[in-house]
Amino acid sequence: MNSEFDYIIVGAGSAGCVLANRLSENENNRVLLLETGGSDKSIFIQMPTALSIPMNTDKYAWQFHTDPEPYLDNRVMHCPRGKVLGGSSSINGMVYVRGHAKDFDEWEEHGAQNWSYQDCLPYFKKAEQWYLGGDTYRGDDGPLGVNNGNEMKNPLYRAFIDAGKEAGYAFTNDYNGAQQEGFGPMHMTVKGGKRCSTARAYLDPVKHRKNLTVVTKAKAQKVVLENKVAKGVQYRVGGNVYTATATTEVILSAGPIGSPHLLQLSGIGDKSHLEGAGIECQHELPGVGQNLQDHLEFYFQFKCKQPITLNGKLGLFSKALIGARWLLFKDGLGATNHFESCGFIRSKEGVEWPDLQYHFLPAAIRYDGKSAFAGHGFQVHIGHNKPKSRGHVLAKNSDPDTAPQIQFNYLQHQEDIEGFRACVRLTREIINQSAFDDFRDEEIQPGSHIQTDEQIDAFVRQAVESAYHPSCSCKMGEDDMAVVDSQTRVHGIQGLRVVDSSIFPTVPNGNLNAPTIMVAEKAADHILGKEPLSKASAEVVGDSQWATRQRSASF
């Protein structure tokens, strides 16, 4: 196992599986893919409706926790990350959101050259197999299957969209197309009724390649450096430690927690921090582990007048029927993540593009799959998605088995607090539109008594949860705190790259699996020295009067 390869990829997750596929297309490239976890073939991973199980299972996820968050009443927050083939794409909610076009233009403004929306769109399309066929914005022959689940059969999904329209917001038929802003159907990475993780989409079809070696249960210890050149990776399988040599490059795709931690364990990071952790500094790069960002959200829950919600499907008999149908036919309620309608709006006038995101769910239920109350209900997940607050990931010592310190500093910034006040007030207005009159009953959470700024702030501090979108901890750019350049190469180290959501300069308005896959597709061309795909010239639709109004039914 002390072998030589051209490329070593650490982490078989949303980015790593993409890279393993693309880099091994050339049979002359010897590629090693290292993954700490194991097989993704569990029914709980493959069946979309079981999404709450793998992220809460030690076997499939790193069960990271933050230090007490000082602006959330010192709450300790859960931060699970994938530890299985497919990484977090095997444990996530399967929601497919690319982000707003302006999010990627923002990346370029932060120094990520040639990462504008028009640069990135061709790679989104390359990755995707959209169930309605390709067009200017959507791909039709990529590995990643994307659809709308059960086509919003439950009437509550359309009630949510109609309520958004009644409240004065636009309708968008495709928020991943020209117009993100508005209310419409939501998309998911499900294909043939099964979770379409990157393990399934990118890795399974190429496992047979003789030039691709996949080693599971392999915990990376550090990058082997010689005179600021990455020579390989030291990793452990069971009780044995091995060293694999890379003749061309080492690529870290261990995620927004794992990649900065591994860089620090390898002696790359802020010198004073490394020395304090007992790690010899090999290369000073102060931005490693800094700029950490995440999305927060809470559930706005209501009781439902009609017995049409998923709360009526939580009994053992109902679950057995759903599971049996899925096993036999790969359809029905087992074949969806249940987030089938959504909304993207702006929190206030003067915000140029959407900073609030809605996931609608025809159930009142927690992420751990437990019912919120006895009876029928529905909820909408709402969060402020362009946070100003920043945190860090820091190695505590030189032991790879010691989890790093994680601190997001959630709601440190006043604008984030105000964003969540808007979440409460705007959502309450939307749900109280006439479209919900036949369904809406008592407000469960926050509760109608929560009205003032002070009451909302106190509720939010106690109710918000991570949306599981950590990112930006090895940001791309050219400033003093950037970790990688626009080619994803680690500044100052030869033969070493980082390719995953940690290199985002800023967090996009949306879930992160889609942009992470896009980043890996684009980075693969950089790594292989290919000409980038031709820049797009797609129209982007937004409100031209954003500076003076918060909503518009049409643009």
Side-chain angles (χ1 to χ4, degrees):
M1 294 181 73
N2 292 280
S3 303
E4 182 180 273
F5 299 86
D6 296 299
Y7 298 99
I8 300 174
I9 304 164
V10 178
S14 296
C17 289
V18 177
L19 294 173
N21 180 303
R22 298 307 187 192
L23 299 186
S24 65
E25 285 178 340
N26 183 336
E27 63 182 13
N28 294 318
N29 290 336
R30 300 164 299 166
V31 179
L32 172 64
L33 178 63
L34 299 174
E35 169 56 44
T36 307
S39 170
D40 64 324
K41 301 311 177 187
S42 165
I43 186 175
F44 299 118
I45 290 176
Q46 299 301 319
M47 186 181 354
T49 195
L51 62 93
S52 68
I53 296 175
M55 74 165 58
N56 291 293
T57 302
D58 291 350
K59 180 179 180 180
Y60 303 123
W62 299 101
Q63 301 297 334
F64 293 123
H65 289 84
T66 69
D67 279 7
E69 290 289 347
Y71 308 98
L72 292 185
D73 296 340
N74 289 316
R75 292 169 58 204
V76 172
M77 305 293 282
H78 188 208
C79 183
R81 307 306 302 155
K83 186 178 62 174
V84 61
L85 290 174
S88 292
S89 73
S90 288
I91 70 165
N92 69 0
M94 292 158 282
V95 176
Y96 183 83
V97 183
R98 294 174 176 178
H100 194 277
K102 293 282 187 180
D103 290 322
F104 305 101
D105 295 343
E106 184 178 69
W107 286 10
E108 192 162 60
E109 292 168 4
H110 279 72
Q113 299 172 11
N114 300 314
W115 286 86
S116 72
Y117 173 69
Q118 305 294 354
D119 291 299
C120 293
L121 178 56
Y123 289 98
F124 278 119
K125 294 179 64 177
K126 180 180 181 180
E128 184 186 33
Q129 185 180 93
W130 176 230
Y131 79 126
L132 296 178
D135 57 25
T136 301
Y137 303 91
R138 308 307 295 253
D140 60 0
D141 60 357
L144 190 72
V146 182
N147 66 25
N148 179 240
N150 284 332
E151 296 295 318
M152 302 191 296
K153 290 179 181 177
N154 191 307
L156 287 167
Y157 291 122
R158 295 194 183 276
F160 181 65
I161 295 171
D162 290 343
K165 291 159 61 178
E166 288 177 355
Y169 297 98
F171 172 74
T172 178
N173 191 51
D174 185 0
Y175 61 85
N176 285 312
Q179 177 188 324
Q180 186 192 62
E181 189 167 352
F183 287 73
M186 184 161 250
H187 312 150
M188 63 188 74
T189 48
V190 172
K191 184 177 181 181
K194 297 171 62 179
R195 175 190 291 271
C196 196
S197 67
T198 55
R200 181 185 174 202
Y202 284 89
L203 191 59
D204 286 353
V206 303
K207 280 183 178 178
H208 64 280
R209 290 177 180 168
K210 294 181 179 179
N211 62 326
L212 174 61
T213 301
V214 181
V215 181
T216 57
K217 308 295 183 181
K219 176 68 181 295
Q221 309 288 286
K222 66 177 181 178
V223 178
V224 178
L225 298 173
E226 291 182 12
N227 298 318
K228 300 198 177 185
V229 178
K231 292 293 188 179
V233 174
Q234 185 183 96
Y235 64 99
R236 187 183 73 236
V237 179
N240 300 312
V241 177
Y242 304 93
T243 299
T245 300
T247 62
T248 306
E249 287 188 345
V250 172
I251 305 152
L252 303 187
S253 296
I257 307 301
S259 287
H261 189 213
L262 191 55
L263 287 173
Q264 292 165 358
L265 292 172
S266 307
I268 302 171
D270 179 78
K271 185 176 182 179
S272 61
H273 159 248
L274 294 175
E275 290 176 348
I279 301 170
E280 182 181 355
C281 183
Q282 302 290 327
H283 177 62
E284 186 162 18
L285 202 57
V288 174
Q290 300 298 320
N291 195 47
L292 180 65
Q293 298 169 42
D294 190 18
H295 291 148
L296 284 172
E297 65 178 17
F298 69 88
Y299 318 149
F300 221 115
Q301 297 178 322
F302 287 81
K303 292 183 178 180
C304 187
K305 294 177 180 178
Q306 299 186 32
I308 57 173
T309 74
L310 295 176
N311 289 71
K313 303 292 184 180
L314 298 178
L316 290 178
F317 182 70
S318 293
K319 287 182 177 180
L321 288 178
I322 292 168
R325 177 171 176 172
W326 183 85
L327 286 169
L328 290 171
F329 306 109
K330 299 298 184 291
D331 65 5
L333 292 177
T336 175
N337 64 8
H338 306 293
F339 294 114
E340 296 185 18
S341 64
C342 64
F344 297 87
I345 66 174
R346 292 175 290 116
S347 59
K348 59 184 178 181
E349 63 184 35
V351 174
E352 187 174 359
W353 68 94
D355 59 341
L356 305 184
Q357 178 184 2
Y358 290 106
H359 301 62
F360 183 82
L361 185 69
I365 195 168
R366 301 192 320 225
Y367 256 128
D368 60 9
K370 296 180 181 178
S371 178
F373 72 105
H376 284 271
F378 59 86
Q379 69 191 36
V380 58
H381 297 219
I382 173 64
H384 178 244
N385 274 6
K386 297 298 288 185
K388 300 288 186 183
S389 303
R390 300 290 184 266
H392 57 255
V393 178
L394 297 174
K396 294 178 181 177
N397 54 46
S398 61
D399 181 3
D401 292 326
T402 299
Q405 179 197 41
I406 303 169
Q407 187 90 73
F408 287 97
N409 291 318
Y410 293 120
L411 300 187
Q412 180 184 38
H413 201 284
Q414 182 63 27
E415 284 192 31
D416 300 349
I417 295 171
E418 293 172 359
F420 272 95
R421 291 175 186 169
C423 287
V424 172
R425 293 194 167 105
L426 295 174
T427 305
R428 189 172 274 152
E429 178 188 2
I430 291 164
I431 301 298
N432 278 287
Q433 297 297 316
S434 63
F436 271 113
D437 284 351
D438 290 339
F439 310 109
R440 180 189 61 255
D441 205 336
E442 177 187 347
E443 181 181 313
I444 304 168
Q445 181 176 289
S448 57
H449 64 286
I450 303 296
Q451 294 289 341
T452 68
D453 285 352
E454 292 75 16
Q455 289 170 334
I456 291 173
D457 294 348
F459 162 77
V460 167
R461 289 195 301 271
Q462 283 297 310
V464 287
E465 299 179 6
S466 172
Y468 309 124
H469 301 159
S471 55
C472 309
S473 51
C474 295
K475 76 169 186 174
M476 178 166 42
E478 300 298 329
D479 62 76
D480 291 343
M481 295 301 287
V483 176
V484 302
D485 66 12
S486 298
Q487 303 284 309
T488 73
R489 300 171 295 203
V490 174
H491 286 297
I493 299 290
Q494 184 178 335
L496 181 61
R497 298 188 198 237
V498 180
V499 179
D500 55 37
S501 66
S502 70
I503 71 171
F504 296 0
T506 56
V507 64
N509 178 41
N511 307 65
L512 300 193
N513 194 46
T516 302
I517 293 168
M518 177 277 293
V519 161
E521 286 277 19
K522 193 171 186 299
D525 280 356
H526 292 313
I527 294 165
L528 294 170
K530 292 184 176 182
E531 285 293 318
L533 297 179
S534 297
K535 197 168 184 173
S537 56
E539 180 187 12
V540 177
V541 177
D543 188 355
S544 61
Q545 298 182 50
W546 58 267
T548 57
R549 65 185 181 191
Q550 183 262 330
R551 72 189 78 176
S552 175
S554 63
F555 302 143

